[in-house]
Amino acid sequence: MTHAITLHDITKSYDGFTAVDEFSLEVQRGTVFGLLGPNGAGKTTLIKILTTLMRPTLGDAFVEGHSVLTAGKEVRRMIGVVPQENNLDRYLTARENLALHAKLHGMRPAAYNPRIDELLDMTGLAARQYDFPDTFSGGMQRRLVVARALVHEPRVLFLDEPTTGLDPQSRRSLWDHIRGLRRSMTVFLTTHYMDEADALCDRIMIMDHGKTLADGTAGELKDAFSRAHTYQVEFRRDADRYQGVLAGLPFVKGVERDGSLFQITLADEESIKPLMDHLTGPDIRRICLKEPTLEDVFISLTGEKVRE
Amino acid sequence: MFKGAFSIWGRDMLVLRRSIISELVSVIAYPLTLYLAFGFGLKGYITDVNGVPYPLFIAPGLISMTAVNAAFDESSWSMWFHRKVQRTIEEYRVTPVTVYDIVIGKIFSGFSQGAVKGTVVFLVILLLTPFRIEYAHLPMYLLCIALSSMTFSCLGTICGTVIDKPENIGRVQSVVIVPLIFMAGIFFPLSSYPPSILPLIQLLPTTAVFEGARDALLTGAIPSQYLVNLVLSAALCFTIAVYTFNRKMAE
Ligand SMILES: Nc1ncnc2c1ncn2[C@@H]1O[C@H](COP(=O)(O)OP(=O)(O)OP(=O)(O)O)[C@@H](O)[C@H]1O
Ligand SMILES: [Mg+2]
């Protein structure tokens, strides 16, 4: 068995509203898997199902071969969880937070104390270990939550938007930790940052409305969407006239204008020739093919509208 | 078995230890005020109740009241706080402990708060007033306090589990808990009630708590009717609390 996580047709409805819709997935052991999607796409719901906090309405999921429905305790033995919102105990010191977690995993002081020392060093919190978390900055609290999820050396680590609210330095250092974990454990993370997914994930899945929209490595996703053929054209003159012309062409799928700079999305590769027939050489200052970013892929899949 | 419950209870006791002084000051102030106000203020008017001097008549009830109030308070607010504010319950739930560990750990924390605070009020009343007891009667009294703290801790746990808005916990306290306590004859003998409603009052779990505690302390025995009531209430509330929490977590 090489799959750390398997989902079979998982559906989750909240009285009538379907947050996750017949979702299936297999995540390879030792990889970093990234789940992307706009607000309300169903990412947190999926993580809650996989970490046994919530039961799916239909379907079953397996973590390291254990069913979340029938072997919740075995699943929880395997996993570390960093929830979307920090849930530290503000009446316990940083160190006590980690120690309580270790005890709930049945660890003995002789086993958890050295491990906690190591994690406090790794997250740069050693000097503040006897302080209470509500005296910490947001980034320090986040690192403490990550350290807590690692105390018992989980086989699968779930991170729900681990770097939201962190400064660039803290984000990079957290990325380094996550990269260091790859291979020794499977990492399942959600994020809103395309650069994060690009930098960390071996495989990326984009979801919306509880369904998968795209799946692959960052490179594959960008490749697949470069077939969308977006060209940037900058005009010297007559931009207004060209806007009308472009809008009337059947093979032009989309036009975005910013002054004299146009982003033109074509239906297919062949359409570049008829496009050129409608443009007069001297009117064009610059024309180039636009390399898609992961963000373009994301926007083109999930739309531009802000979610309620 | 229940190692997780023990760890969660241990966490609560660690936190209690840290703030024990300020907790105790506030918890002692209330029953002590009542004791002084009623015990001394009314002493001239009520010399004794059924042959028991009035301060001695109310003291066991005040101690029990402190214990059950503390148990209810701790269980309800702590469960609510850990569930809705700090969301630590969610952190516990992604470790191998079960929901039974969590709810049992929490119930015992409430119980322990009740026991600790009841004991301290007992010692303070003993120290500051002429209230004296027969030490041979103590075990029965403690049994009574333990069973009632258990019941109230479970009731608190149920409230903290099903109630999402904090103001509603406050309402339950003032509409249900306080009347239950004051109707149960801490300050007056049950014989003051009209005979028509007396049987109803005698069925209240709080009546068993306060009458039982007083009888235990004064005579060394809990009347069997109250003992049965206490045991059944504790068992029933425990079952309901565990069931309710389990249901809530499965949502
Ligand atoms: N307890 C709940 N009751 C009812 N609806 C809910 C509940 N939790 C989530 N939802 C709904 O389910 C959908 C998916 O929510 P979810 O939290 O999984 O989204 P998400 O992808 O994590 O979003 P975000 O990026 O904002 O964190 C949303 O439309 C949300 O309103
Ligand atoms: Mg989310």
Side-chain angles (χ1 to χ4, degrees):
Chain A
M1 201 203 59
T2 54
H3 294 134
I5 302 169
T6 313
L7 289 96
H8 283 311
D9 294 328
I10 290 283
T11 298
K12 177 72 192 181
S13 315
Y14 297 108
D15 29 53
F17 170 80
T18 306
V20 174
D21 197 1
E22 300 191 353
F23 199 94
S24 293
L25 169 69
E26 278 164 345
V27 178
Q28 199 83 20
R29 252 199 208 136
T31 58
V32 179
F33 175 85
L35 191 59
L36 272 62
N39 290 141
K43 305 180 295 295
T44 299
T45 303
L46 269 181
I47 288 201
K48 285 195 169 167
I49 289 171
L50 286 168
T51 56
T52 75
L53 285 173
M54 214 179 240
R55 290 175 80 83
T57 313
L58 289 171
D60 197 357
F62 299 85
V63 177
E64 290 288 342
H66 303 291
S67 158
V68 296
L69 291 181
T70 58
K73 201 168 173 170
E74 277 66 44
V75 169
R76 294 195 294 273
R77 244 188 264 287
M78 302 286 156
I79 62 173
V81 183
V82 174
Q84 186 163 354
E85 314 239 346
N86 292 340
N87 56 359
L88 293 163
D89 194 329
R90 66 189 74 161
Y91 290 96
L92 296 181
T93 63
R95 191 178 183 93
E96 286 163 356
N97 264 283
L98 302 184
L100 176 59
H101 182 87
K103 284 183 204 151
L104 295 177
H105 270 275
M107 293 170 76
R108 305 191 161 280
Y112 67 67
N113 278 322
R115 176 73 181 150
I116 288 175
D117 288 332
E118 186 188 322
L119 286 166
L120 286 168
D121 273 336
M122 184 185 99
T123 48
L125 292 171
R128 300 289 303 272
Q129 58 178 304
Y130 299 114
D131 293 340
F132 293 91
D134 51 4
T135 65
F136 286 10
S137 74
M140 291 165 74
Q141 293 188 15
R142 202 68 184 146
R143 286 189 310 229
L144 184 58
V145 177
V146 173
R148 189 183 63 187
L150 294 171
V151 170
H152 56 291
E153 306 191 54
R155 303 252 291 270
V156 183
L157 180 64
F158 291 93
L159 304 153
D160 199 351
E161 300 186 24
T163 64
T164 299
L166 299 193
D167 63 21
Q169 289 85 344
S170 309
R171 284 183 73 204
R172 301 275 150 161
S173 96
L174 197 52
W175 288 3
D176 286 338
H177 295 321
I178 295 172
R179 277 201 209 94
L181 299 172
R182 185 198 243 130
R183 314 250 181 276
S184 64
M185 63 181 78
T186 312
V187 181
F188 185 114
L189 65 84
T190 75
T191 179
H192 286 297
Y193 300 113
M194 304 303 142
D195 55 339
E196 183 162 299
D198 215 345
L200 284 180
C201 300
D202 300 304
R203 178 176 165 204
I204 294 168
M205 184 173 270
I206 299 179
M207 73 178 297
D208 199 7
H209 305 298
K211 282 184 179 300
T212 313
L213 297 176
D215 177 11
T217 64
E220 283 165 4
L221 290 180
K222 289 183 215 166
D223 271 353
F225 283 84
S226 64
R227 277 187 286 120
H229 312 290
T230 302
Y231 287 85
Q232 277 187 329
V233 182
E234 193 179 355
F235 294 101
R236 277 181 214 285
R237 53 183 166 257
D238 285 346
D240 289 332
R241 184 173 65 80
Y242 277 114
Q243 185 167 23
V245 171
L246 289 168
L249 298 176
F251 48 85
V252 172
K253 285 280 169 227
V255 180
E256 271 175 57
R257 180 177 172 190
D258 180 11
S260 58
L261 183 67
F262 285 71
Q263 299 234 21
I264 304 166
T265 307
L266 299 178
D268 52 43
E269 219 162 331
E270 276 70 55
S271 310
I272 185 69
K273 266 175 88 174
L275 174 70
M276 292 316 289
D277 295 341
H278 287 86
L279 308 176
T280 321
D283 293 344
I284 299 173
R285 184 189 304 266
R286 183 163 67 92
I287 180 164
C288 64
L289 182 65
K290 191 168 172 290
E291 282 291 334
T293 62
L294 208 47
E295 187 142 344
D296 295 325
V297 177
F298 184 84
I299 293 287
S300 79
L301 281 170
T302 57
E304 306 217 3
K305 265 182 64 178
V306 174
R307 296 304 155 86
E308 269 95 54
Chain B
M1 245 324 236
F2 296 121
K3 257 176 75 183
F6 188 73
S7 301
I8 290 168
W9 174 82
R11 176 265 171 217
D12 290 344
M13 291 305 105
L14 170 66
V15 173
L16 173 64
R17 253 200 325 275
R18 277 206 185 115
S19 58
I20 189 79
I21 299 298
S22 58
E23 292 252 355
L24 287 183
V25 168
S26 64
V27 97
I28 290 166
Y30 183 55
L32 202 62
T33 310
L34 289 178
Y35 182 80
L36 297 175
F38 287 89
F40 288 93
L42 295 179
K43 205 164 65 175
Y45 302 92
I46 312 167
T47 39
D48 58 53
V49 177
N50 307 334
V52 180
Y54 192 59
L56 187 56
F57 178 81
I58 60 172
L62 289 175
I63 297 164
S64 321
M65 181 186 78
T66 308
V68 298
N69 255 338
F72 180 88
D73 250 20
E74 164 69 11
S75 287
S76 55
W77 289 107
S78 165
M79 180 57 87
W80 175 79
F81 181 77
H82 284 268
R83 203 168 57 80
K84 297 296 288 182
V85 181
Q86 216 169 241
R87 294 173 188 275
T88 352
I89 297 289
E90 231 170 68
E91 146 66 6
Y92 300 161
R93 283 183 60 211
V94 297
T95 67
V97 304
T98 61
V99 286
Y100 300 108
D101 280 300
I102 300 173
V103 67
I104 290 169
K106 283 298 184 192
I107 288 171
F108 273 90
S109 295
F111 168 81
S112 308
Q113 291 251 354
V116 169
K117 290 175 180 172
T119 306
V120 170
V121 168
F122 173 78
L123 293 175
V124 168
I125 288 184
L126 208 58
L127 204 72
L128 297 185
T129 72
F131 170 69
R132 288 297 171 265
I133 61 150
E134 188 71 59
Y135 285 92
H137 299 166
L138 205 53
M140 270 312 185
Y141 179 65
L142 290 180
L143 173 68
C144 185
I145 300 282
L147 286 169
S148 11
S149 297
M150 195 61 179
T151 304
F152 275 75
S153 177
C154 294
L155 289 175
T157 302
I158 296 168
C159 289
T161 302
V162 298
I163 298 175
D164 286 345
K165 293 207 177 104
E167 60 270 26
N168 287 342
I169 296 183
R171 285 184 188 131
V172 169
Q173 265 177 319
S174 53
V175 175
V176 181
I177 302 299
V178 171
L180 268 182
I181 289 176
F182 277 80
M183 276 179 352
I186 301 187
F187 297 109
F188 52 86
L190 290 183
S191 53
S192 310
Y193 278 109
S196 51
I197 61 165
L198 187 58
L200 282 177
I201 297 289
Q202 277 173 327
L203 283 180
L204 292 179
T206 40
T207 303
V209 171
F210 296 116
E211 290 287 302
R214 183 183 299 124
D215 287 348
L217 204 57
L218 297 180
T219 69
I222 307 174
S224 56
Q225 151 204 15
Y226 291 142
L227 186 61
V228 170
N229 189 332
L230 285 173
V231 171
L232 285 184
S233 304
L236 185 70
C237 291
F238 182 80
T239 313
I240 298 176
V242 171
Y243 173 80
T244 311
F245 185 75
N246 202 1
R247 278 291 298 273
K248 182 80 176 183
M249 291 301 112
E251 265 174 18

